[in-house]
Amino acid sequence: MSNWNALVVEDEPEIRHFVRKTLESEGWRVYEAGSMQSATRQAAEITPDLILLDLGLPDGDGVNFVSALRQKSQVPVIVLSARNLERDKVAALDAGADDYLSKPFGLAELLARVRVVKRRLTLARMAQQPETFKFGAIEVDPPARRVSKNGALVHLTPIEYKLLLTLIENAGRVLTHGELLRRVWGPGRIEQGYLVRIHMSHLRSKLEDDPTQPVHLITEAGIGYRLVD
């Protein structure tokens, strides 16, 4: 029996069936909900490891579901929605969703996003917090506050280091400009998105082989950034 539980919250049976079969092919045990009320009840009963959520539910807005969920749980949430406007994506991610897929989406893209979550969950189960984190040629040792590239020490400013740790703690997840500002600079800087862009540029210049074509510190246009490990 699978060790991974997923809750699919979707009011369209065809899409729900497609997502269910996709997850089951990856070894997940899948539960289904067709409404926000049902999703709230099942999330409390089965304590899922992952929730895939449609925003347009018959009895409420999925963004409100995410906001309420984040008051008591940090379970990863991947939004599956026909809402393609940038502001809708930002609203869902700022509410606490981990990722956002626009409908229609393909099987390969869905599987890729789910596997990112599964890797994070697997690491969390193996160790509460790994002593070091590696991506590409970069190694970060939080206890020693040490960052190296190809074995050579890399000097980061306190803000750059805090920004990098925030991305590492959420590896694979899209973090909006607003969320990064709150986590790294505090709530007083919420309108100063340029700070994130400037310091991300500095991080790339120190960590990426080609800062103009980053492979780890990825921009999600108009939304924020994602660390790909």
Side-chain angles (χ1 to χ4, degrees):
M1 184 171 287
S2 172
N3 291 322
W4 303 103
N5 295 330
L7 175 60
V8 179
V9 186
E10 168 65 62
D11 64 333
E12 295 186 35
E14 296 84 2
I15 297 177
R16 201 163 62 232
H17 179 76
F18 167 74
V19 175
R20 178 185 190 119
K21 291 301 181 184
T22 300
L23 291 174
E24 288 178 341
S25 72
E26 291 286 295
W28 292 79
R29 183 195 298 116
V30 182
Y31 299 84
E32 299 181 21
S35 67
M36 194 155 74
Q37 182 179 2
S38 174
T40 301
R41 184 180 67 253
Q42 292 202 61
E45 291 175 353
I46 67 174
T47 57
D49 300 294
L50 169 65
I51 296 177
L52 293 103
L53 173 71
D54 179 27
L55 295 182
L57 298 171
D59 58 345
D61 192 313
V63 172
N64 295 332
F65 173 82
V66 176
S67 296
L69 180 72
R70 284 292 173 256
Q71 301 301 313
K72 50 194 173 185
S73 172
Q74 293 303 311
V75 56
V77 176
I78 299 177
V79 168
L80 310 174
S81 179
R83 301 179 190 174
N84 295 319
L85 295 179
E86 182 180 297
R87 65 171 179 266
D88 293 320
K89 297 179 181 180
V90 171
L93 293 166
D94 271 344
D98 294 79
D99 210 340
Y100 195 109
L101 266 178
S102 298
K103 297 177 181 176
F105 50 84
L107 173 64
E109 186 174 15
L110 175 59
L111 285 175
R113 304 297 178 91
V114 170
R115 285 168 183 157
V116 166
V117 171
K118 196 170 185 178
R119 284 197 295 272
R120 279 170 46 201
L121 293 171
T122 299
L123 285 173
R125 284 191 180 185
M126 290 175 64
Q128 292 298 316
Q129 181 65 42
E131 289 189 3
T132 61
F133 184 89
K134 298 179 181 179
F135 58 99
I138 308 301
E139 182 172 340
V140 182
D141 183 351
R145 202 186 178 283
R146 182 180 187 275
V147 180
S148 60
K149 180 178 181 182
N150 292 317
L153 285 175
V154 177
H155 173 72
L156 299 182
T157 67
I159 287 292
E160 290 166 359
Y161 183 72
K162 190 172 182 181
L163 180 59
L164 178 60
L165 280 191
T166 301
L167 291 165
I168 287 173
E169 289 166 359
N170 296 272
R173 177 188 171 196
V174 181
L175 293 176
T176 66
H177 296 96
E179 186 170 3
L180 286 168
L181 280 166
R182 284 194 301 273
R183 288 173 178 245
V184 178
W185 283 270
R189 302 293 186 90
I190 195 63
E191 300 298 329
Q192 297 175 310
Y194 67 90
L195 290 173
V196 180
R197 293 189 291 273
I198 291 171
H199 286 84
M200 186 63 69
S201 175
H202 293 166
L203 264 184
R204 284 174 171 161
S205 68
K206 295 177 180 182
L207 301 181
E208 296 279 3
D209 290 336
D210 183 354
T212 64
Q213 297 184 13
V215 296
H216 298 295
L217 303 172
I218 305 300
T219 299
E220 296 288 342
I223 299 175
Y225 299 92
R226 181 201 306 264
L227 174 67
V228 177
D229 59 1

